[in-house]
Amino acid sequence: MGAVPLLESVWLVGSGSHPEALTDPHDCHCYLIWDGSGGVLVDTGTGLGARAWLAAVAEVCDPAALSGAIVTHYHADHAGGAAAARAAGLPVLASAETAAALATADESRTSLAAARAVGVYPSDYRLAPSTVDRVLAGGDIVRAGELDVEILDAPGHCDGHLVVLLRRAGRTILFSGDCLFAGGRVSLQAIHDCRLDRYAETVNALAGREVDVLLPGHGEPVLRDAWVDIGRAAESFRRLVPPPNVLTS
């Protein structure tokens, strides 16, 4: 386990599946942006692997030098580690919807109770409440050393979902959370706030961003020509057909 370099200034520091960055099997991918003088974490996993991803961050930089941890959305595999991040001194940054859900550890709003009931999470796993130190919305900029990290609203997979856009070394890099995946796949779930109409709007907007690199919350990264994958999903939505679902069972 450790920090896996992906691109200039970007590391994978936590994962539920990547063998070199494995923190806990229930975690999403957690990414570190660090330019040598400052940085930010994108997503915090469930909290079950927080000690491991903090150690991975420390291989690259002093965690205290980070601007904070951006939580893309309130599902437990991305947001459950927010309390641990904050306990380690990292401010938590998230949307207003995520802030409200984390403040009370609302397991209905976040669909954790439903997911746990069908075995997605261990029976004894609980969402830890956390304060969000900065509420983010589309158009906001988070400073990561000398880098500007742009926040975009991306609802559809769930309410309050955000994605993170970084421009580095002539490339546009999208940290997509659970919005988009390799191959133009999306994450559709039978939960109360997964909304196809808003999902289509989000993906169509992202298709206009000319993204070079796609770093999703799960699965393989797309390290070149990611606009092709995003365009495939957008074209499907434009035909009123949901793109292939990353969830198959």
Side-chain angles (χ1 to χ4, degrees), residues 149-175:
V149 175
E150 184 180 359
I151 305 301
L152 304 176
D153 292 321
H157 172 71
C158 70
D159 290 344
H161 196 298
L162 303 173
V163 295
V164 175
L165 204 66
L166 172 67
R167 294 175 179 86
R168 180 66 165 157
R171 290 187 288 183
T172 299
I173 304 162
L174 177 66
F175 300 82

Short mmCIF file of all heavy atoms in Angstrom, two decimals, residues 149-175:
data_model
loop_
_atom_site.label_atom_id
_atom_site.label_comp_id
_atom_site.label_asym_id
_atom_site.label_seq_id
_atom_site.Cartn_x
_atom_site.Cartn_y
_atom_site.Cartn_z
N VAL A 149 -7.94 24.58 -8.63
CA VAL A 149 -8.82 23.43 -8.79
C VAL A 149 -10.25 23.96 -8.91
O VAL A 149 -10.75 24.63 -8.01
CB VAL A 149 -8.69 22.47 -7.58
CG1 VAL A 149 -9.68 21.33 -7.70
CG2 VAL A 149 -7.26 21.93 -7.49
N GLU A 150 -10.89 23.69 -10.04
CA GLU A 150 -12.23 24.20 -10.30
C GLU A 150 -13.28 23.19 -9.89
O GLU A 150 -13.15 21.99 -10.15
CB GLU A 150 -12.39 24.53 -11.78
CG GLU A 150 -13.74 25.16 -12.12
CD GLU A 150 -13.90 25.48 -13.60
OE1 GLU A 150 -12.95 25.25 -14.37
OE2 GLU A 150 -14.99 25.97 -13.98
N ILE A 151 -14.32 23.67 -9.26
CA ILE A 151 -15.43 22.83 -8.81
C ILE A 151 -16.60 22.99 -9.78
O ILE A 151 -16.96 24.11 -10.16
CB ILE A 151 -15.88 23.22 -7.38
CG1 ILE A 151 -14.69 23.17 -6.41
CG2 ILE A 151 -17.01 22.33 -6.91
CD1 ILE A 151 -14.03 21.83 -6.31
N LEU A 152 -17.19 21.85 -10.17
CA LEU A 152 -18.35 21.87 -11.06
C LEU A 152 -19.50 21.11 -10.40
O LEU A 152 -19.29 20.04 -9.83
CB LEU A 152 -18.03 21.19 -12.39
CG LEU A 152 -16.84 21.73 -13.19
CD1 LEU A 152 -16.62 20.87 -14.43
CD2 LEU A 152 -17.06 23.18 -13.57
N ASP A 153 -20.70 21.66 -10.48
CA ASP A 153 -21.90 20.92 -10.06
C ASP A 153 -22.12 19.76 -11.01
O ASP A 153 -22.03 19.92 -12.23
CB ASP A 153 -23.12 21.84 -10.05
CG ASP A 153 -23.06 22.90 -8.98
OD1 ASP A 153 -22.61 22.59 -7.86
OD2 ASP A 153 -23.48 24.04 -9.26
N ALA A 154 -22.43 18.58 -10.46
CA ALA A 154 -22.61 17.39 -11.30
C ALA A 154 -23.67 16.47 -10.73
O ALA A 154 -23.43 15.28 -10.48
CB ALA A 154 -21.28 16.65 -11.45
N PRO A 155 -24.90 16.95 -10.51
CA PRO A 155 -25.95 16.09 -9.96
C PRO A 155 -26.39 15.04 -10.97
O PRO A 155 -26.17 15.18 -12.18
CB PRO A 155 -27.07 17.07 -9.65
CG PRO A 155 -26.89 18.17 -10.65
CD PRO A 155 -25.40 18.31 -10.81
N GLY A 156 -27.02 14.01 -10.49
CA GLY A 156 -27.52 12.93 -11.34
C GLY A 156 -27.32 11.61 -10.64
O GLY A 156 -28.28 10.93 -10.30
N HIS A 157 -26.06 11.24 -10.38
CA HIS A 157 -25.80 10.04 -9.58
C HIS A 157 -26.44 10.19 -8.21
O HIS A 157 -27.01 9.24 -7.67
CB HIS A 157 -24.29 9.82 -9.46
CG HIS A 157 -23.91 8.74 -8.50
ND1 HIS A 157 -24.12 7.41 -8.77
CD2 HIS A 157 -23.33 8.79 -7.28
CE1 HIS A 157 -23.70 6.68 -7.75
NE2 HIS A 157 -23.22 7.50 -6.84
N CYS A 158 -26.35 11.38 -7.64
CA CYS A 158 -27.07 11.73 -6.42
C CYS A 158 -27.11 13.24 -6.32
O CYS A 158 -26.38 13.94 -7.04
CB CYS A 158 -26.42 11.10 -5.18
SG CYS A 158 -24.83 11.82 -4.72
N ASP A 159 -27.94 13.74 -5.43
CA ASP A 159 -28.03 15.18 -5.22
C ASP A 159 -26.74 15.70 -4.61
O ASP A 159 -26.11 15.05 -3.77
CB ASP A 159 -29.20 15.51 -4.31
CG ASP A 159 -30.56 15.26 -4.96
OD1 ASP A 159 -30.61 15.11 -6.19
OD2 ASP A 159 -31.55 15.19 -4.20
N GLY A 160 -26.36 16.90 -5.02
CA GLY A 160 -25.20 17.56 -4.44
C GLY A 160 -23.86 17.03 -4.91
O GLY A 160 -22.83 17.39 -4.35
N HIS A 161 -23.86 16.19 -5.94
CA HIS A 161 -22.60 15.65 -6.44
C HIS A 161 -21.78 16.77 -7.09
O HIS A 161 -22.31 17.60 -7.83
CB HIS A 161 -22.88 14.55 -7.46
CG HIS A 161 -21.71 13.67 -7.77
ND1 HIS A 161 -20.55 14.13 -8.34
CD2 HIS A 161 -21.53 12.33 -7.60
CE1 HIS A 161 -19.70 13.13 -8.50
NE2 HIS A 161 -20.28 12.02 -8.05
N LEU A 162 -20.49 16.78 -6.80
CA LEU A 162 -19.55 17.70 -7.41
C LEU A 162 -18.48 16.91 -8.16
O LEU A 162 -18.20 15.77 -7.82
CB LEU A 162 -18.84 18.55 -6.34
CG LEU A 162 -19.69 19.39 -5.40
CD1 LEU A 162 -18.80 20.02 -4.34
CD2 LEU A 162 -20.46 20.47 -6.16
N VAL A 163 -17.88 17.53 -9.16
CA VAL A 163 -16.67 16.99 -9.77
C VAL A 163 -15.60 18.07 -9.72
O VAL A 163 -15.88 19.24 -9.48
CB VAL A 163 -16.90 16.50 -11.22
CG1 VAL A 163 -17.86 15.33 -11.24
CG2 VAL A 163 -17.40 17.63 -12.12
N VAL A 164 -14.36 17.63 -9.94
CA VAL A 164 -13.20 18.50 -9.75
C VAL A 164 -12.42 18.55 -11.05
O VAL A 164 -12.12 17.51 -11.64
CB VAL A 164 -12.32 17.95 -8.61
CG1 VAL A 164 -11.04 18.75 -8.49
CG2 VAL A 164 -13.09 17.95 -7.29
N LEU A 165 -12.09 19.75 -11.49
CA LEU A 165 -11.39 19.95 -12.75
C LEU A 165 -10.03 20.60 -12.47
O LEU A 165 -9.96 21.62 -11.77
CB LEU A 165 -12.22 20.84 -13.68
CG LEU A 165 -11.99 20.73 -15.18
CD1 LEU A 165 -12.41 19.35 -15.69
CD2 LEU A 165 -12.78 21.80 -15.91
N LEU A 166 -8.97 19.99 -12.99
CA LEU A 166 -7.62 20.50 -12.81
C LEU A 166 -6.97 20.64 -14.18
O LEU A 166 -7.03 19.70 -14.99
CB LEU A 166 -6.81 19.54 -11.95
CG LEU A 166 -5.30 19.81 -11.82
CD1 LEU A 166 -5.04 21.10 -11.05
CD2 LEU A 166 -4.60 18.63 -11.14
N ARG A 167 -6.35 21.77 -14.43
CA ARG A 167 -5.57 21.96 -15.66
C ARG A 167 -4.09 21.97 -15.28
O ARG A 167 -3.66 22.81 -14.49
CB ARG A 167 -5.99 23.24 -16.36
CG ARG A 167 -7.42 23.18 -16.89
CD ARG A 167 -7.89 24.49 -17.48
NE ARG A 167 -9.25 24.37 -17.98
CZ ARG A 167 -10.34 24.55 -17.23
NH1 ARG A 167 -10.21 24.83 -15.94
NH2 ARG A 167 -11.55 24.42 -17.75
N ARG A 168 -3.38 21.01 -15.85
CA ARG A 168 -1.97 20.83 -15.48
C ARG A 168 -1.18 20.34 -16.68
O ARG A 168 -1.59 19.40 -17.36
CB ARG A 168 -1.87 19.81 -14.33
CG ARG A 168 -0.48 19.53 -13.82
CD ARG A 168 0.13 20.74 -13.16
NE ARG A 168 1.30 20.43 -12.38
CZ ARG A 168 2.24 21.30 -12.08
NH1 ARG A 168 2.15 22.55 -12.50
NH2 ARG A 168 3.29 20.96 -11.34
N ALA A 169 -0.07 21.00 -16.95
CA ALA A 169 0.84 20.59 -18.02
C ALA A 169 0.11 20.45 -19.35
O ALA A 169 0.34 19.51 -20.11
CB ALA A 169 1.54 19.28 -17.65
N GLY A 170 -0.77 21.40 -19.63
CA GLY A 170 -1.47 21.42 -20.91
C GLY A 170 -2.60 20.43 -21.03
O GLY A 170 -3.18 20.28 -22.12
N ARG A 171 -2.95 19.75 -19.94
CA ARG A 171 -4.04 18.77 -19.98
C ARG A 171 -5.14 19.16 -19.00
O ARG A 171 -4.88 19.74 -17.95
CB ARG A 171 -3.51 17.37 -19.64
CG ARG A 171 -2.64 16.78 -20.72
CD ARG A 171 -2.29 15.33 -20.43
NE ARG A 171 -1.34 15.20 -19.34
CZ ARG A 171 -0.83 14.05 -18.93
NH1 ARG A 171 -1.22 12.92 -19.51
NH2 ARG A 171 0.05 14.01 -17.96
N THR A 172 -6.37 18.81 -19.35
CA THR A 172 -7.51 19.01 -18.48
C THR A 172 -7.85 17.67 -17.83
O THR A 172 -8.12 16.69 -18.54
CB THR A 172 -8.72 19.55 -19.25
OG1 THR A 172 -8.38 20.82 -19.82
CG2 THR A 172 -9.92 19.72 -18.34
N ILE A 173 -7.83 17.64 -16.52
CA ILE A 173 -8.00 16.41 -15.74
C ILE A 173 -9.31 16.52 -14.96
O ILE A 173 -9.53 17.50 -14.23
CB ILE A 173 -6.83 16.22 -14.77
CG1 ILE A 173 -5.50 16.22 -15.54
CG2 ILE A 173 -6.99 14.94 -13.96
CD1 ILE A 173 -4.28 16.48 -14.66
N LEU A 174 -10.16 15.52 -15.12
CA LEU A 174 -11.44 15.51 -14.42
C LEU A 174 -11.45 14.40 -13.37
O LEU A 174 -11.28 13.23 -13.69
CB LEU A 174 -12.58 15.26 -15.41
CG LEU A 174 -13.99 15.14 -14.82
CD1 LEU A 174 -14.43 16.47 -14.22
CD2 LEU A 174 -14.99 14.67 -15.88
N PHE A 175 -11.64 14.79 -12.11
CA PHE A 175 -11.87 13.85 -11.02
C PHE A 175 -13.39 13.72 -10.90
O PHE A 175 -14.06 14.62 -10.42
CB PHE A 175 -11.26 14.37 -9.72
CG PHE A 175 -9.77 14.61 -9.79
CD1 PHE A 175 -9.26 15.78 -10.35
CD2 PHE A 175 -8.88 13.67 -9.30
CE1 PHE A 175 -7.89 16.00 -10.41
CE2 PHE A 175 -7.50 13.88 -9.36
CZ PHE A 175 -7.02 15.05 -9.92
#
